[in-house]
């Protein structure tokens, strides 16, 4: 309903919202009224000029009428208004607001990027006025008129230059505003892309780890269903717990996606949940040893989440792709960095286990976003090793209360 109300406004308002320009008829109407009324005042002040008649009134209307097309045909309009103004001046009618139409037409031409046309039209008017005021005045009305004073020509020249300078200034400002709008739009697109990438990483990490545990335990349950029902029951219990946790974390990610401005209902996982991660790995048949070096510190939520997800993905890869049933996690709290290390003895099973192949890519993206690095590859003595180094910047560490 709100969108319908927005589209029910007057057409000229929708045009302004779409183009960023006011409708041409409004300014043209103002110029027409100003030309008619102001020229009447000029007639009373300039007794030596030709009195306004129907032809003068028609010329004073023709200039603003041409302004209605200035956005669509800026070049034709600016030259047309220059000719109309020159005819008005050549007919000997009083000087006055007749030049306003030309100012608006030149302004529109410069804004539209037709600077040469604006300068050309001004040149035509200026040259024509010089010829009329200093040569053709002998044969043009009013009768007995003399040459125009040069001070008047200097004043007209100054007015022309000021008008063109103002037009150029507005053009430059509009181009600057357009660049700023484009930069804001590009920044908004980058934020959207970064948020989409963050959500994709979260979903991948949650689902990859949980589905890997479920896959392993389902295989154990099927293998022991007839020979060892109690062990099969344990495997099914593990599947239930892993699926429940995965559903909870997926729901949290989707809630954030639905309401990006709201805070998440549950805290994001961090290194404080490392014991749970070790238990989940144990349920999948992987014994994990944890070694801590240095003094642990409280991390900012983003750094804490990234460290947890990197360890989670590394253990998931061990469960999926390694024949080893043991793994070692090392947390190295150094002065300026946190080093995360995950080792397994191998060998590689060569079984893809339904993986998407994005695990290492996701880990590298998380580390890179925080200014860190990831090294992953086979160890010289066999097995596989993942080493992540995350810089501990001042803004990434929370002071303990």
């Amino acid at each position: 309903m709100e969108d319908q109300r927005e589209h029910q406004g007057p057409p000229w308002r929708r045009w302004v919202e779409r183009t960023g320009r006011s409708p041409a008829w409004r300014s043209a109407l103002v110029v027409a009224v100003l030309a008619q009324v102001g020229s009447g005042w000029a007639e009373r002040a300039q007794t030596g000029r030709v009195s306004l008649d129907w032809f003068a009134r028609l010329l004073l209307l023709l200039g603003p009428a041409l302004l209605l097309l200035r956005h669509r045909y800026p070049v034709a309009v600016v030259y047309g208004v220059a000719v109309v103004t020159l005819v008005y001046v050549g007919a000997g009618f009083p000087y006055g607001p007749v030049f306003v139409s030309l100012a608006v037409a030149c302004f529109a031409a410069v804004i539209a990027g037709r600077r040469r046309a604006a300068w050309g039209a001004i040149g035509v008017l200026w040259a024509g006025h010089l010829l009329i005021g200093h040569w053709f005045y002998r044969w043009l009305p009013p009768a007995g008129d003399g040459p125009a004073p040069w001070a008047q020509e200097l004043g007209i020249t100054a007015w022309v230059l000021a008008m063109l300078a103002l037009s150029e200034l507005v053009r430059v400002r509009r181009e600057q505003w357009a660049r700023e709008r484009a930069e804001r739009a590009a920044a908004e697109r980058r934020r959207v892309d970064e948020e989409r990438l963050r959500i994709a990483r979260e979903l991948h990490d949650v689902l990859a780890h949980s589905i890997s545990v479920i896959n392993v335990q389902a295989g154990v349950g099927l293998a022991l269903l007839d020979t060892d029902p109690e062990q099969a029951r344990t495997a099914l219990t593990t599947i239930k717990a892993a699926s429940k946790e995965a559903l909870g974390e997926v729901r949290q990610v989707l809630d954030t996606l639905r309401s990006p401005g709201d805070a998440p209902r549950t805290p994001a996982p961090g290194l404080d949940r490392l014991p749970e991660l070790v238990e989940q790995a144990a349920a999948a048949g992987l014994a994990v040893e944890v070694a801590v070096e240095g003094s642990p510190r409280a991390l900012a939520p983003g750094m804490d989440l990234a460290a947890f997800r990197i360890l989670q993905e590394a253990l998931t890869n061990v469960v999926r792709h390694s024949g080893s049933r043991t793994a070692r996690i090392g947390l190295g709290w150094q002065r300026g960095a946190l080093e995360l290390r995950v080792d397994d003895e191998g060998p590689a099973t060569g079984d893809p286990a339904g993986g998407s192949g994005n695990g290492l890519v996701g880990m590298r993206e998380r580390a890179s976003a925080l200014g860190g690095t990831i090294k992953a590859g086979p160890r010289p003595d066999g097995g596989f090793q993942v080493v992540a180094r995350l810089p501990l910047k001042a803004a990434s560490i929370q002071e303990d209360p």
Side-chain angles (χ1 to χ4, degrees):
M1 293 296 293
E2 184 175 354
D3 294 338
Q4 292 178 357
R5 287 195 297 269
E6 290 177 355
H7 292 292
Q8 287 174 356
W12 63 265
R13 181 175 298 174
R14 296 197 299 269
W15 190 85
V16 171
E17 294 174 353
R18 186 175 65 254
T19 64
R21 298 183 304 209
S22 60
W25 66 266
R26 299 177 67 187
S27 55
L29 178 61
V30 172
V31 172
V33 173
L34 178 62
Q36 295 291 337
V37 176
S39 296
W41 292 340
E43 179 184 14
R44 290 191 290 270
Q46 301 173 28
T47 55
R49 306 294 293 177
V50 177
S51 299
L52 297 176
D53 55 13
W54 66 269
F55 183 59
R57 296 294 182 181
L58 179 62
L59 291 174
L60 292 173
L61 284 176
L62 183 57
L66 289 173
L67 295 180
L68 294 173
L69 303 174
R70 67 183 186 272
H71 295 315
R72 183 171 297 180
Y73 308 107
V75 175
V77 168
V78 72
Y79 277 109
V81 174
V83 171
V84 170
T85 306
L86 196 58
V87 171
Y88 179 91
V89 173
F93 297 121
Y95 291 94
V98 64
F99 296 101
V100 176
S101 297
L102 182 62
V104 175
C106 288
F107 182 84
V110 172
I111 295 302
R114 307 289 186 169
R115 302 166 63 191
R116 292 184 179 179
W119 283 87
I122 289 293
V124 168
L125 179 64
W126 187 73
H129 186 269
L130 281 178
L131 292 175
I132 292 171
H134 297 276
W135 182 261
F136 293 134
Y137 69 90
R138 300 179 179 87
W139 303 284
L140 294 176
D145 193 17
W150 285 104
Q152 175 179 303
E153 300 297 341
L154 292 176
I156 292 177
T157 302
W159 175 82
V160 167
L161 293 177
M163 180 182 64
L164 290 175
L166 178 61
S167 300
E168 291 291 341
L169 177 62
V170 173
R171 180 187 63 82
V172 171
R173 289 296 300 165
R174 286 202 173 194
E175 290 179 353
Q176 181 179 355
W177 293 335
R179 286 195 300 269
E180 292 175 354
R181 286 195 299 268
E183 290 173 358
R184 287 195 296 268
E188 182 63 25
R189 288 193 296 270
R190 284 195 300 269
R191 285 194 293 270
V192 171
D193 291 340
E194 290 171 359
E195 181 65 13
R196 185 183 298 112
L197 181 61
R198 183 191 68 81
I199 292 172
R201 282 199 301 258
E202 287 295 304
L203 288 175
H204 172 271
D205 292 344
V206 170
L207 295 178
H209 175 74
S210 300
I211 297 301
S212 295
V213 173
I214 291 172
N215 180 61
V216 171
Q217 292 301 313
V220 172
L222 287 174
L224 301 177
L225 185 61
D226 296 327
T227 59
D228 193 346
E230 190 60 32
Q231 187 65 28
R233 181 185 299 273
T234 302
L236 292 176
T237 303
T238 302
I239 290 175
K240 180 179 179 181
S243 60
K244 181 179 179 180
E245 180 178 0
L247 287 174
E249 295 199 20
V250 169
R251 187 177 296 112
Q252 178 184 346
V253 173
L254 294 180
D255 286 343
T256 304
L257 179 61
R258 294 190 187 100
S259 304
D262 298 338
R265 298 179 182 177
T266 58
L271 291 180
D272 58 333
R273 290 183 54 183
L274 185 56
E276 297 180 25
L277 190 60
V278 172
E279 291 180 4
Q280 293 173 3
L286 181 66
V288 180
E289 300 176 2
V290 179
V292 179
E293 298 178 1
S295 301
R297 280 159 280 177
L299 300 176
M303 177 75 73
D304 207 15
L305 174 62
F308 178 83
R309 292 303 190 198
I310 289 173
L311 293 177
Q312 184 183 52
E313 180 61 32
L315 290 180
T316 301
N317 287 341
V318 175
V319 173
R320 281 179 173 177
H321 308 300
S322 176
S324 175
R325 294 298 86 196
T326 60
R328 293 188 301 275
I329 293 178
L331 300 180
W333 294 91
Q334 303 171 3
R335 182 171 183 177
L338 169 62
E339 185 176 273
L340 308 172
R341 186 185 301 268
V342 178
D343 293 90
D344 71 271
E345 302 295 338
T349 61
D351 182 8
S356 62
N358 293 324
L360 289 176
V361 174
M363 285 192 287
R364 288 194 175 96
E365 288 175 347
R366 286 187 183 275
S368 178
L370 297 171
T373 58
I374 288 282
K375 294 182 179 179
R379 301 191 314 175
D381 56 347
F384 200 82
Q385 182 182 74
V386 175
V387 179
R389 184 178 177 84
L390 306 179
L392 296 180
K393 301 177 183 179
S396 301
I397 305 175
Q398 295 179 334
E399 296 294 336
D400 293 329

